[in-house]
Amino acid sequence: MAFFNHLARRSFAQSAAMANAIKNVTVIGSGLMGSGIAQVAAQTGHNVTMVDIDPVAVEKAQKRIGASIARVAKKKFGEGDDAAKFMNESMSHLKTSTDAVASVESADLVVEAIVENLKVKKELFSKLDGAAPAHTIFASNTSSIPIAKIAEATSRLDRFGGLHFFNPVPVMKLLEVVRIPETSDGTYEAMKGWGKAMGKVTVECKDTPGFIVNRLLVPYMFEAVRLVERGEASPRDVDTAMKLGAGHPMGPFELMDYVGLDTGKFIIDGWHADYPDEEIFKPSPMLEKLVADGKLGVKSGEGFYSYKK
Ligand SMILES: CCCCCCCC(=O)CC(=O)SCCNC(=O)CCNC(=O)[C@H](O)C(C)(C)COP(=O)(O)OP(=O)(O)OC[C@H]1O[C@@H](n2cnc3c(N)ncnc32)[C@H](O)[C@@H]1OP(=O)(O)O
Ligand SMILES: NC(=O)C1=CN([C@@H]2O[C@H](COP(=O)(O)OP(=O)(O)OC[C@H]3O[C@@H](n4cnc5c(N)ncnc54)[C@H](O)[C@@H]3O)[C@@H](O)[C@H]2O)C=CC1
């Protein structure tokens, strides 16, 4: 038994040491998730550069982070000096940029949280592979795309993995840590250790569609839409039913609006293309129409529900 305790201690020490080596974090994508990941990394003392292709998105992200850090500070310290110190300290760790290549020059870890599109993700990682130091770990926050398919755009498969956070990142405790066959043990330990340094509870999962949560959640959400498409209930009643009947904090329609209907569409389109005979991966005409009409949920002011003030 002592031998196994020794191994466990060694592995924990190894992951802690590897995670300690992760100080400089570059987050590419400053949308719903990238801004949340950058915020938590800054709050936990990492030097963070948050990058976006769109300068307006960077500005919006800074506002979102400011508001969110204020909620976290209030929750941790109430009002007063300690809250202000926490906010200032966190923000002092955060830089922004629109130059992805320059932003990875001294990165220990790059976390990608850009649009859920394999081609765009591969183009980005291929570009960064030549610019980042040899030791830099690359990770994707993808909801649904196989990590192996993204990683093949680079020459650092042993330093590549998945770090799947949950929305809103400052609140949701879970982090799914995914390895591909080539991910080295050191990289995997470093990613898990960093997740813990970020205050998250990590779970391990194979590189399968949707990892754990989304493999269960996305089919559930699309079944909810199909139930409404069949005229069996309204979105509001489905949400009420799942909150009061299953104890969910949000019903499926509220949650789809919260996470973004465009992301939902990207996910189901990808899975339908890969698994055309899988009934539960079939796209939804109702969701297609909403996205085509630019109704993406909270982030566009309207989705299944309207959020216009
Ligand atoms: C079609 C398929 C699409 C699939 C897309 C893929 C998605 C993925 O890949 C993976 C995912 O993320 S799946 C989504 C996972 N997230 C959830 O399920 C969220 C469910 N909702 C909740 O937990 C609460 O409604 C929630 C926490 C959001 C809000 O809580 P409440 O309803 O109680 O409202 P509040 O009172 O405002 O908040 C409760 C406490 O949390 C703090 N808080 C909330 N939002 C925050 C934020 N953004 N930043 C910082 N703090 C925040 C808030 O401070 C409050 O704390 P107290 O002040 O102590 O009450
Ligand atoms: N929305 C959610 O609840 C969750 C989403 N995810 C995943 O996280 C990723 C991002 O999702 P969201 O934050 O919701 O999307 P979003 O649409 O809010 O943000 C995406 C950001 O990426 C930027 N971007 C696009 N192409 C870029 C490029 N080539 N270089 C730099 N920036 C670029 C866009 O300007 C935008 O600001 C996706 O892969 C998604 O599947 C993971 C967990 C939860």
Side-chain angles (χ1 to χ4, degrees):
M1 195 54 183
F3 174 68
F4 289 109
N5 284 339
H6 162 69
L7 279 187
R9 274 196 305 277
R10 192 162 66 97
S11 152
F12 180 79
Q14 191 184 42
S15 78
M18 299 289 293
N20 287 340
I22 296 178
K23 272 284 161 267
N24 301 334
V25 179
T26 299
V27 179
I28 314 270
S30 71
L32 292 178
M33 294 308 286
S35 59
I37 297 165
Q39 173 189 334
V40 175
Q43 285 176 185
T44 51
H46 298 92
N47 304 316
V48 187
T49 305
M50 178 176 68
V51 179
D52 206 289
I53 203 165
D54 171 0
V56 174
V58 173
E59 256 175 68
K60 275 189 190 164
Q62 285 177 304
K63 289 197 180 77
R64 189 182 308 125
I65 290 173
S68 178
I69 287 192
R71 293 177 87 172
V72 175
K74 187 162 173 267
K75 195 168 179 175
K76 273 175 171 284
F77 306 104
E79 314 275 349
D81 295 351
D82 287 346
K85 186 165 171 283
F86 172 79
M87 283 178 65
N88 294 335
E89 192 129 310
S90 301
M91 291 307 277
S92 72
H93 287 296
L94 179 64
K95 283 193 306 181
T96 63
S97 169
T98 53
D99 181 345
V101 169
S103 78
V104 298
E105 263 160 23
S106 54
D108 301 314
L109 169 68
V110 176
V111 182
E112 168 271 311
I114 67 173
V115 62
E116 186 70 342
N117 176 299
L118 176 58
K119 184 170 173 296
V120 179
K121 289 183 189 296
K122 287 180 75 170
E123 279 163 4
L124 172 73
F125 276 118
S126 168
K127 197 170 63 173
L128 300 183
D129 197 26
H135 77 281
T136 308
I137 293 171
F138 283 1
S140 174
N141 179 59
T142 180
S143 303
S144 65
I145 299 171
I147 301 296
K149 280 191 180 175
I150 304 171
E152 68 186 24
T154 74
S155 59
R156 59 179 80 208
L157 300 188
D158 58 320
R159 283 149 288 154
F160 207 110
L163 285 170
H164 184 224
F165 289 87
F166 290 79
N167 189 354
V169 181
V171 180
M172 305 308 285
K173 281 295 191 206
L174 183 67
L175 175 65
E176 290 176 330
V177 184
V178 181
R179 71 189 300 175
I180 57 179
E182 297 84 353
T183 306
S184 72
D185 290 345
T187 297
Y188 199 48
E189 291 308 319
M191 291 199 298
K192 287 191 289 184
W194 183 71
K196 293 180 177 64
M198 287 277 280
K200 302 301 178 187
V201 174
T202 59
V203 296
E204 302 176 21
C205 176
K206 289 219 182 314
D207 188 18
T208 51
F211 313 130
I212 300 172
V213 174
N214 283 348
R215 183 61 174 274
L216 304 175
L217 189 68
V218 173
Y220 147 69
M221 286 169 153
F222 275 82
E223 279 307 291
V225 181
R226 282 186 260 278
L227 189 152
V228 168
E229 283 172 337
R230 294 193 300 264
E232 294 163 6
S234 69
R236 185 63 72 195
D237 279 350
V238 172
D239 281 350
T240 302
M242 291 312 289
K243 286 191 283 190
L244 303 188
H248 291 197
M250 279 178 171
F253 293 93
E254 290 167 327
L255 186 54
M256 281 184 273
D257 274 354
Y258 189 79
V259 299
L261 302 188
D262 49 341
T263 298
K265 172 174 164 45
F266 296 144
I267 294 169
I268 211 74
D269 287 353
W271 287 357
H272 182 54
D274 287 351
Y275 307 93
D277 302 331
E278 265 300 335
E279 276 306 308
I280 55 170
F281 292 165
K282 285 245 185 301
S284 141
M286 188 176 186
L287 188 89
E288 296 275 328
K289 174 131 183 22
L290 285 166
V291 173
D293 294 346
K295 296 177 180 173
L296 310 182
V298 174
K299 66 180 174 184
S300 70
E302 186 175 352
F304 288 103
Y305 301 116
S306 173
Y307 301 89
K308 293 188 177 94
K309 297 258 185 292

